[in-house]
Amino acid sequence: MQHSPHASAPAGAITDVPGIEAGHFTDTRRPTGCSVVIAREGAVAGVDVRGAAPGTRETDLLAPGNLVNEVHAIVLAGGSAWGLDAATGAVRWLEEHGVGLDVGVTRLPLVPAAVLFDLPVGDARIRPDANAGYAAASAAATGQPLAEGNVGAGAGAVVGKMFGMQHAMKGGIGTASVRVAGVTVGALVACNAVGDVVDPDTGRPLAGARTAEGDALRDTRRALLRGEPPHPLLAGSNTTIGVIATDARLTKVQAQRLAVAGHDGLARSINPVHTMSDGDTLFALATGRAAQHPGMMVLATMAAEAVARATVRAVLAARSLHLPGGPLLPACADLRRAG
């Protein structure tokens, strides 16, 4: 089987962007966790929500017409709505380290967040909390290489659920970066999509809904177009969430447009995407450390590319998972070996 460079080449990481730190907390009691992207000196931020069932915090703060211009971290978490509590822990860590907006009497850390639904993977009573967010922020500060796959917000992620969990595969979290003309754009993506993850260059599925035999991919797009009925889906039970970061200097409007462009990367690497059952949300951060600015056309292209590569990395780095009392969720690597 031949694979494009997206499926094999080193992808880089969001931490290649100057001024950006990132870390994970992975719960050992069940597959869930959270991931934190930190900009200690503040970063101009934007967000774009495309899925119909999002779980978010502080996204209104990022609207271009609203007052605050910079944020200090973004939290991605499992645990559905409960996972939003992880942002509280990240805020606490940032406050302890003197990071935040100077409001005179103290520094106030601004930390938007988004969550994905991983509650069916193990004991749903276990989900990321404030202590998890604190631990992920602490891990970000170590400067260790950023892990991918079954870690952080991707620990309980599953892809390809269109025809039922018994035909699905393990999702995960991935990261990538692109550098052009002295400017870097990186992405961190936790992929829990209802659709398939596909090679952006060829459209060939890499991970997703499997056939009844379980050893091959069904190709969800083609199956739906053939008339195969989808499994009934709980709204919000899927989602791809992520962060785009760049060292280019951007306005708040431009940061929001960069988040918009990032969804082009999701559209290239997930099919179908932005469904009624997904809460797809992408944030954008701009640290402004680069002396150059290649223009928004180039930056938007870089953002879409970084997101697509990070999404592919999320499933390539994932490892199989056996649900207690439930089906085996194979990983992309398992189907490669079987093929």
Side-chain angles (χ1 to χ4, degrees):
M1 181 185 299
Q2 291 186 340
H3 298 276
S4 79
H6 286 97
S8 59
I14 194 170
T15 49
D16 293 336
V17 177
I20 294 295
E21 303 163 78
H24 305 298
F25 167 79
T26 307
D27 202 312
T28 58
R29 297 171 297 168
R30 86 160 175 99
T32 193
C34 60
S35 304
V36 179
V37 178
I38 296 175
R40 291 186 190 232
E41 296 178 12
V44 176
V47 67
D48 189 40
V49 180
R50 294 286 180 92
T56 58
R57 159 182 163 146
E58 297 273 43
T59 50
D60 281 353
L61 183 76
L62 305 183
N66 289 345
L67 181 63
V68 173
N69 202 45
E70 295 184 341
V71 303
H72 307 94
I74 302 289
V75 170
L76 309 176
S80 192
W82 284 291
L84 291 171
D85 191 34
T88 300
V91 167
R92 177 160 50 94
W93 188 92
L94 291 167
E95 180 187 22
E96 289 177 3
H97 290 79
V99 177
L101 176 68
D102 187 353
V103 292
V105 294
T106 187
R107 285 192 172 273
L108 175 65
L110 299 174
V111 183
V115 293
L116 54 78
F117 185 93
D118 61 3
L119 300 179
V121 184
D123 187 346
R125 294 170 296 180
I126 298 170
R127 51 253 182 173
D129 57 12
N131 289 334
Y134 187 97
S138 299
T142 65
Q144 295 296 312
L146 191 61
E148 298 175 286
N150 299 21
V151 295
V158 180
V159 299
K161 292 162 278 188
M162 189 69 72
F163 303 103
M165 197 74 155
Q166 69 274 23
H167 301 299
M169 291 178 64
K170 186 69 183 73
I173 195 165
T175 188
S177 66
V178 180
R179 186 170 175 82
V180 176
V183 170
T184 304
V185 175
L188 179 68
V189 175
C191 186
N192 187 53
V194 67
D196 297 343
V197 175
V198 304
D199 187 305
D201 288 333
T202 67
R204 182 173 185 172
L206 298 170
R210 292 171 292 132
T211 58
E213 295 76 18
D215 59 353
L217 290 170
R218 187 183 305 226
D219 194 330
T220 294
R221 176 178 67 93
R222 295 183 185 279
L224 291 174
L225 293 175
R226 284 194 301 266
E228 293 187 32
H231 187 86
L233 296 167
L234 176 67
S237 57
N238 314 276
T239 287
T240 298
I241 52 179
V243 182
I244 302 160
T246 181
D247 52 354
R249 186 178 299 277
L250 300 181
T251 66
K252 202 172 178 184
V253 171
Q254 289 172 327
Q256 194 265 340
R257 293 306 304 176
L258 203 67
V260 170
H263 281 279
D264 292 348
L266 292 186
R268 292 176 199 160
S269 55
I270 302 172
N271 199 338
V273 71
H274 305 141
T275 75
M276 293 295 290
S277 295
D278 287 293
D280 303 327
T281 300
L282 291 180
F283 297 93
L285 299 174
T287 65
R289 290 195 176 192
Q292 300 86 354
H293 192 304
M296 285 304 296
M297 183 69 74
V298 174
L299 281 176
T301 302
M302 295 168 68
E305 184 70 14
V307 167
R309 293 184 187 183
T311 304
V312 168
R313 286 295 311 163
V315 297
L316 292 183
R319 294 297 175 259
S320 62
L321 176 69
H322 196 285
L323 299 181
L328 170 70
L329 295 171
C332 179
D334 300 317
L335 262 64
R336 279 184 173 184
R337 285 194 293 268

